Structure formats: structure tokens, C-alpha cells
Amino acid sequence: MTTLLSRWRVSLRNVLWLDALQAAAISAAPVILAVLAHEPRLGWTAIAAFWACFGDPGGPLRQRAGSMLALGLIGALFCFLASASAGHLWLLLPLTFVCCTFGGLLRVLGPAAAIVGTLLSAGFVVAAELPTPTLADSLWFTMFFLAGAVWAILMTALVWRRRPWKDATHAVAHCYRGLADFADALARMYSGLTPTAGPEAWTAVTKPQRSAQRAALEAARVRIREVQDTRPSRRARANQLTYLLDSAEDSFIALVASADLLESHAPQWLGRSAGAHLSHALHRYASVCNAIASTSDVNDPKQAECLRERLAHFGAGLHDLRGGAMAYAPDLATMVPVLDRLLHTAQAVMQALFDQVDAPAAPDRQRLAASRVRQAWRTLRQNLGVESDAFRHALRVGVGATIAVALSRTFAVNHGYWMSLTLVFILQPYFATTWQRTLERVTGSVAGAIGASLLGLFLSTPLSVALAVLPIALGTFAARTIHYALFTFFLTSQFVLVSHIQQPEIYEPTLAALRAFNSVLGGILALLVGFLVWPEKEPRQLAGALTRALDRHAAYALALIRQKGGAAPDSDGAIVALRRQACLSADNAEASLQRLQQNPVHRERNVDTAVNLLNAMRRITAAGTVLEIQPALPPEAPAAVALRDYGRILAHALHPQDDAPDLPARPWAVPAAVTAADPALADPLERIAQQARQVRQLRDRIEKDPPG
């Protein structure tokens, strides 16, 4: 519970409250108008506006408006098809399968398109139970839905506009807040007062920090690319954000190296005095990162002075660390270059922000010849086959939605669309994630239904109910980035109140009970469909993900060691790219492992082997970041030649290489020539070698007895 609350506090700090208020106001206004105008069908407009805001991908205005317009147009078409065929089950069910399969297939176009596809499928199953006895009624509901989407677009584009760079700037600031959290976690972990912390404690702290920060960096990079490609006139702003993001990634690598050094030498390394000095220095660096993240006006002298003071405070802490602390812990000297790197990077960021120093120009990205529409169409065509995981999931959504609609219409389930709606929202490509999402949604739905019932006891008029939608909608949009169960709690309360306005003859507790009951039915049906219809082969996918991760780590280690051997002195960008690919591949493998562990029916024998393999790969990248800081050897030196050969040996241990040299009698020992030429290279190389030895043993074990 403490860990969950801590994560929620961090998430609350990153909620865009103004944007959440905007979306809440846009979706609540039609509800209030429905009461004032005595037009219950405007509740459908409110739902369309809510979904349009929910499907807003952020970024440049053209992209946001295009996504919302596509949701409105296709959603209006789905609304007409579903409502017009609702009285003919033989026509409704095939249309449900086709439309919901299409919505599920949009997942291949990215996360934003996946949200739009889910909302389109949800709109179809809800529209299938609208009270539309005639074709004219269907057209009216279609127009009300389209009006909701247009209303959301107009408010977003004309009335309540956001700066086009706001999302990208916030994403970069989020990265620096993540660096502050990482530094604070390291400071608390080793303050000199708890020197006996074991590997499990270190893993519990550093593993989630590394994964979250890597995800934040990649998300920020996508945001910058979106705005840069659509607003070439703001190239200077894009260059500055790219420079800040690259600096954040460089600082992240230095923190990873710090964590690896501390973990590798704990508990014998630092005493109380040295540990306290190091803890203070890391806390001071965290304050520097928070100051960078809080910078909103580069022309504000107070913000500049605040950052300068914190930088000076951090520099003073490093000076103290070099002084008396190193007298008691001389091995602490290996940490000094890493901390100096953090200081120099922060100073460069300070100059780029406030000292009118131009950030280095970002490399120009070649524009793709094909339009985005052609790319999207090509991607969809490439996934039209049962061998595609995305297409199988789309078929799973279509089958599940069709079954839910058939059950609802056949047995005349009261408000049965809530069952279909629940299935569409919680059915995931993997059974483990479907299981987790089911528990969270059912819990949130039941709690939200109870909350709406209690709230209905205090709301005596329809107008008071409509006004209550605004704060609840604000909670819905804010909670979507905090926790899914909390989001479902607010969402259920909001929809129960909106449904009461559309159907005032039904008492709120009755609506709430129906919502909770049908949500449970939808969750059970989603679990059955996810388990029976093309269930994923997660053990096999885990084996493939581990193999790809080993390959990427071998490529990173080989390129890095060859660079330190003088083979490629100008390939820093390539090393960074290889490191990023290695980290992402490890994250993908870890996500696959987590899905396997969360699967309630999984019986995997090699989970511990896979966990140890992932830990070894992460220690390799951590030791590699320490190695990146060291200078390269002269290319023609005998030690450089030995180092390059040694790199091929280690890469072969991580992943078999066809051109690897014959292994000597002691292949794991760092060459003596390298140790003699530059002792600073020996420590990270030795740690990479230790992990390579373990990886080879684990890899051989997995190949002999693969997962599954």
C-alpha cells in the first residue's frame, strides 16, 4: 500500500490539471445543456464529446484535430450502422464483428490510434442499444454524436487552445523530475546508515526507476518529433528541447553508472561519514533536476538565480566529497568522474537555458516520401493475416463484442451495453493484462456505482446532477494517468449520472447496481474470450524477447569495447543508439516476463532463470555506462588490439558470433596489457565479464530447456 501511494503521489505531480479541467468542461457542458433544454439526447452528445477529449493524442493542433475528427466521423458512421440495424439481429451481429475488429486493428498504428479504435468499438456497442425505432431516430442520434465531436474540436481549436509545444515541454520536464526521483532514491538507499542492504534491496529501488525513466525519455522523444515535423518554423525550439532531452539521457546514464558502482561495492565501501556526504550530494543533484523541470520562463531572473544556487550547492557538495570523505573511503574516487559528469551536464543545461547559448542543432530528419495516410494503410495491410498478433487480437475483440451483443439482445439484459462496453475496454492482447485489467475495472466499477448511489441521495434536482458531472469528469481525466481502478471509479460515477439524465425515470441506485452487475458479467466474458480465442504463447514470446535482448546487448558491448580500443573514435552517437536499443529490448523482455508471471494459469518452470538473465543484462549496460566515461586507448597500441579481441570474446559469450576468435584457456580474464595500459578500464570490463559468464550459463540452460 505504501508503494502504491508513493507512486500515486508521483503521478499526481505530473497530472496536467488545466488540460483535465478543459476536457471535463467540454464533456460536462452538453450534460448541463441537456437539462436546461429538456433534451435527453444531448447526453449522447456529452458521451461523444467525452470520448473525443479522451482520444485527444496531444501534440500539434493539426494532429489533435485530425484524430478527434476521425473519431467523430467514423464514430458517427458506427452509430448509424449500429442503431439502424439494432432491430435486425442477423444484420447487427455481422456489423458488430466487422466494426469492432476494425477498431481493434487500429492498435497497430500506435498507442493514440489504439485508444481511438477502442472508443470506436465502444461507441458501436453502446449505439446498438439506443432507443431508435425508426431510421429517422438513428439519424438524429448520429447527428447528436457528431455534434459532440465537433463541439470538442471547436473548443480545443478555437476557444481553449493549447500551446503546440506544451506537451513536448512537459514531457522533457517529466524526464528531469524522474532524474530527481532516481537521485533521491539512491541517496536514501546508501546514506551510510544502512550499509548492509543486499542485492534484492538495490534491485527493488533501481529497477523501477530505470524502467520508468527509460519510458519517459522515449515518450518525450516521440513528442518532440511530432511537433518538429509539423512546425518546421520552430526549429530552434525543437533543437533546444532535443538538447535538453539528450542531456537528460546523458545524466540518466550517469545515475545508472552510480547505482551500479554503489551496488557493486556495497556494503564494504562507505562508512558513515562518506556515505552521508554522498547522500547529501545526490539530494542536492535532485534539487538541481527539480529546478530544471520547474523552469517555465527563461527570462525570469529568479528562476535563473534559483538554478545557479542549486548548482553551486551541488558543486560544494562534490568538493566536500573529494575532501574529508575520500580520506576515509579512498575507493570513493571511482564515483567522482560520474558525479562530475552530472555537474558538467547540468551546467551545460543552465547555459543553454539562461545564458543565451545556442543549443547544438539537432540533426535534420529526412521526411518520408509517402504520406501518413499511405503509411497507415500499408501498416494495416501488412497486419491483415492470422500470423499477426495485432490481427488476432482484433479478431478477438470482434468475436468478444459480437458474443456480448448477442447475449445482451437475446436475453434482453437491462442496460446490457455496459457488459459489451466493459469487454471492449478490458480485453487486451495478452491474457495476463486482461486479467489484471478485469480486476481493476470491476473493483472500480463497483466502487463507482456505490459512490454514484450515495451521491444521488444528496442531489435532488436534474440540474444539480448535471453540475456534479463537472468535478467528477475532472477526476476521470486526472485519474487516467494515475491508476486504472481510480479512473474506472470516476468514470462509472460520471456515466451513471449521465445515464440518469437520459433516463430520469430510473433511480440512481438501480442504475448503479445494473452498471456494477453488467461490468462483472463483461469482465467474466472478457476473461473467457481472452483465454479461449487465440490465447497468446507467452513462454515462446519470452524466449524470443530474451534472445533479441541478448543480441542487442552483445552488439552494444562489442561496439563499446571496440570504441575504447580505438576502432571507432567518432561513433558516440552509434554507441548511444545501441545502448538505447539494448535497454528497450530488455524492457520488452521484462514486460513479457511480467505478463507471464501475472497470468493466473501460468506454470512456467524457468522464471527464475529468466529473471537472473535480465538482471545480468541490466548490470552489463550499467557497467557499460561506467566504461563509456573512460577515454579510449591509442588505436595502434598492443593493449588496444587486445581489447578489441576481448570485446569479440565477450560478445560471443552474450550471443554467438560467427566471426568470434577461438576462446583462450581463460577467456574471462581482462587482458593484462589492458590492465597495465589503463587500470580504470579494468573494473567495468571485469564486471561485464562476470555478467557475460553468468549470461552464457543461463543462456545455455534456457536453450536446453526453453520456456514453456
Side-chain angles (χ1 to χ4, degrees), residues 22-35 39-55 68 71 119 126 130 140-153 465-467 469-470 473 476-477 491 494-502:
Q22 171 190 353
I26 292 174
S27 57
V31 181
I32 300 175
L33 183 61
V35 174
E39 178 52 76
R41 289 178 295 184
L42 282 170
W44 186 236
T45 302
I47 294 176
F50 172 80
W51 282 345
C53 294
F54 193 78
M68 297 168 74
L71 176 61
L119 294 175
V126 173
L130 291 175
W140 271 112
F141 271 103
T142 301
M143 296 305 298
F144 276 111
F145 184 93
L146 188 59
V150 172
W151 159 253
I153 295 173
V465 173
L467 293 175
V469 172
L470 178 59
T476 302
F477 283 101
L491 181 67
Q494 178 182 348
F495 269 65
V496 168
L497 296 182
V498 173
S499 298
H500 174 67
I501 291 175
Q502 290 181 297

Side-chain angles (χ1 to χ4, degrees), residues 355-373:
D355 295 344
Q356 305 302 321
V357 176
D358 292 335
D364 290 336
R365 294 182 174 90
Q366 295 181 351
R367 295 185 177 274
L368 299 176
S371 66
R372 293 189 176 183
V373 176

Side-chain angles (χ1 to χ4, degrees), residues 59-329:
L61 180 59
R62 180 180 300 178
Q63 175 179 326
R64 298 172 61 204
S67 178
M68 297 168 74
L69 182 61
L71 176 61
L73 293 176
I74 302 177
L77 175 62
F78 280 17
C79 174
F80 177 75
L81 293 176
S83 58
S85 61
H88 310 282
L89 197 61
W90 61 270
L91 180 59
L92 175 62
L93 296 183
L95 285 176
T96 302
F97 176 78
V98 172
C99 294
C100 292
T101 299
F102 172 78
L105 188 59
L106 291 181
R107 180 179 295 269
V108 301
L109 302 181
I115 294 176
V116 172
T118 301
L119 294 175
L120 289 174
S121 300
F124 186 94
V125 297
V126 173
E129 298 201 21
L130 291 175
T132 54
T134 65
L135 190 61
D137 292 327
S138 298
L139 288 173
W140 271 112
F141 271 103
T142 301
M143 296 305 298
F144 276 111
F145 184 93
L146 188 59
V150 172
W151 159 253
I153 295 173
L154 291 177
M155 289 293 294
T156 300
L158 300 179
V159 180
W160 204 334
R161 299 187 61 176
R162 290 192 296 176
R163 292 175 296 154
W165 292 89
K166 183 176 182 179
D167 292 325
T169 302
H170 180 270
V172 175
H174 179 56
C175 293
Y176 279 94
R177 291 191 182 94
L179 291 177
D181 293 338
F182 197 175
D184 279 333
L186 292 179
R188 291 191 301 268
M189 189 64 196
Y190 203 108
S191 62
L193 304 178
T194 56
T196 58
E200 296 81 6
W202 279 98
T203 301
V205 171
T206 60
K207 182 178 177 181
Q209 291 286 345
R210 291 177 61 175
S211 300
Q213 187 63 15
R214 173 57 59 187
L217 289 169
E218 295 303 319
R221 201 171 298 279
V222 171
R223 285 300 187 193
I224 295 174
R225 189 181 302 117
E226 288 174 351
V227 185
Q228 180 178 350
D229 290 343
T230 55
R231 294 293 296 273
S233 61
R234 299 295 299 275
R235 184 71 65 181
R237 178 62 172 160
N239 290 345
Q240 185 187 54
L241 286 179
T242 302
Y243 176 72
L244 293 176
L245 184 62
D246 290 341
S247 299
E249 183 163 6
D250 186 78
S251 301
F252 169 61
I253 295 306
L255 283 177
V256 170
S258 301
D260 181 65
L261 288 171
L262 291 172
E263 180 183 1
S264 300
H265 293 84
Q268 74 276 10
W269 211 19
L270 307 180
R272 180 181 296 269
S273 176
H277 278 85
L278 179 62
S279 178
H280 292 161
L282 289 172
H283 278 307
R284 292 173 180 180
Y285 176 71
S287 69
V288 170
C289 292
N290 281 325
I292 295 174
S294 300
T295 299
S296 58
D297 185 2
V298 296
N299 296 318
D300 187 351
K302 292 183 179 180
Q303 294 186 12
E305 184 62 26
C306 176
L307 182 54
R308 287 194 180 93
E309 289 179 357
R310 295 189 182 186
L311 277 172
H313 202 45
F314 178 45
L318 293 185
H319 182 269
D320 295 340
L321 195 64
R322 290 189 181 91
M326 288 183 59
Y328 296 97

